[in-house]
Amino acid sequence: MAAERLSRQPDSPASPARYRMRDLVRESGLPRETIHYYLAEGLLPPPLKTGRNTALYSEDHLYRLGKIQELRERHFLPLKAIRAVLEGEVDQVRTFTPAQRELIRDVSASLRGTLIDHSNPGATAALLDGRVSLEDVRELEAAGLIEVKWQNGEPLLEPNDAAIVEAWALMIESGISRDRGFRPRHAALYQQAIDRMVRAEMELFVERYADVDVAEAAAVVQRALSHIERLISALHRKTLLALIERMAAQGAARDGDAAAAPAG
């Protein structure tokens, strides 16, 4: 009965709130901590507060919990993608034609497992040994930059997430540190820019490859990815240098104006 209820969308988005947290735990089979985490991440709507430390939940919460578990366990989607599905964000990016949607699904299936950075396979203890604190790992996770499976208090990272933590370790060693007020959450600015870029990139790709063989489209993505990343790096470096030079020139001009001003 619980599985049937979890898989059935509620009749009304405004279904009455009548479940306590212990009911959600029992019906969903998920730990209380996991449900609280989903609430904090915005994957579940806020409950109806009935007191300082009490709240009620609805059928919508149960449905979403079931949907989250389905997307994680059956489709292996990360929480960021699950949030997009729950919010309808994928449909908001653009209305693709049936052929374009089919291309996306088929290319995804073809590339599954190939766009992973295997340079740090499952890196955990060795990666974090004195270089990145557990606090930083938790902040990276809270910012939505990585996903972590915790086992006996130790983080288990997928290769792409391990590469992100490795990059953060290198940034710390270069001087981007807590001593200077930097926090892992500040790296979210890159994720926000990348989210916008990848959506536009996907639209551009789909427009031009919806009529070709899936294997050919997938091969293009694989061949081009490293070159695109090199282009992005070069553009970032060039743009940053140009901004620094403009700011330096503006500062020099202000200093010159101040020196030329007559003494009052």
Side-chain angles (χ1 to χ4, degrees):
M1 290 295 292
E4 180 182 348
R5 186 192 291 107
L6 289 175
S7 64
R8 186 182 71 244
Q9 184 150 12
D11 296 332
S12 167
S15 55
R18 56 192 178 89
Y19 296 105
R20 296 184 181 276
M21 175 58 71
R22 63 173 177 267
D23 300 320
L24 289 188
V25 171
R26 182 184 66 251
E27 296 290 342
S28 69
L30 294 170
R32 179 186 300 264
E33 294 76 16
T34 298
I35 297 174
H36 279 303
Y37 177 71
Y38 290 162
L39 283 164
E41 289 296 302
L43 294 168
L44 299 172
L48 174 64
K49 298 291 288 184
T50 57
R52 183 174 180 181
N53 296 312
T54 58
L56 290 177
Y57 303 84
S58 68
E59 290 283 351
D60 184 46
H61 291 90
L62 273 178
Y63 168 76
R64 282 179 171 247
L65 287 172
K67 193 68 176 176
I68 292 168
Q69 290 307 100
E70 176 190 354
L71 293 170
R72 294 204 74 173
E73 296 174 2
R74 188 178 302 175
H75 301 286
F76 306 103
L77 291 183
L79 290 183
K80 189 179 300 180
I82 291 173
R83 184 185 294 110
V85 171
L86 292 175
E87 294 176 356
E89 185 177 325
V90 171
D91 293 332
Q92 294 172 11
V93 173
R94 199 193 137 166
T95 303
F96 291 115
T97 67
Q100 290 171 335
R101 288 196 297 270
E102 184 177 358
L103 173 70
I104 293 171
R105 287 194 299 269
D106 291 344
V107 168
S108 173
S110 178
L111 292 175
R112 187 169 293 125
T114 65
L115 300 184
I116 294 177
D117 184 347
H118 289 287
S119 60
N120 293 297
T124 54
L127 175 63
L128 301 172
D129 186 20
R131 301 179 65 202
V132 177
S133 67
L134 286 180
E135 183 181 3
D136 275 3
V137 173
R138 292 185 187 278
E139 284 195 27
L140 286 167
E141 181 184 28
L145 301 176
I146 63 173
E147 290 191 41
V148 183
K149 293 181 180 178
W150 295 93
Q151 189 173 75
N152 299 323
E154 291 295 323
L156 300 178
L157 305 172
E158 295 296 332
N160 280 339
D161 289 324
I164 292 171
V165 177
E166 168 73 9
W168 179 250
L170 293 171
M171 290 172 67
I172 291 173
E173 292 162 4
S174 70
I176 306 297
S177 64
R178 285 181 176 271
D179 293 341
R180 288 291 177 180
F182 291 102
R183 296 291 184 272
R185 65 179 181 274
H186 293 139
L189 69 91
Y190 299 108
Q191 184 65 65
Q192 293 164 5
I194 289 169
D195 284 342
R196 293 192 296 271
M197 179 193 73
V198 168
R199 289 175 194 169
E201 184 179 44
M202 179 58 70
E203 291 183 9
L204 190 65
F205 174 80
V206 169
E207 283 178 353
R208 286 153 179 78
Y209 280 90
D211 61 340
V212 305
D213 179 75
V214 170
E216 179 184 346
V220 169
V221 174
Q222 286 184 295
R223 289 196 304 267
L225 184 60
S226 62
H227 305 311
I228 292 172
E229 290 173 343
R230 184 176 180 181
L231 173 63
I232 292 168
S233 177
L235 288 171
H236 180 213
R237 185 179 296 108
K238 177 183 177 181
T239 304
L240 178 61
L241 180 60
L243 177 60
I244 291 173
E245 290 176 344
R246 286 199 303 273
M247 293 174 67
Q250 291 170 356
R254 285 195 295 269
D255 291 343
D257 292 341

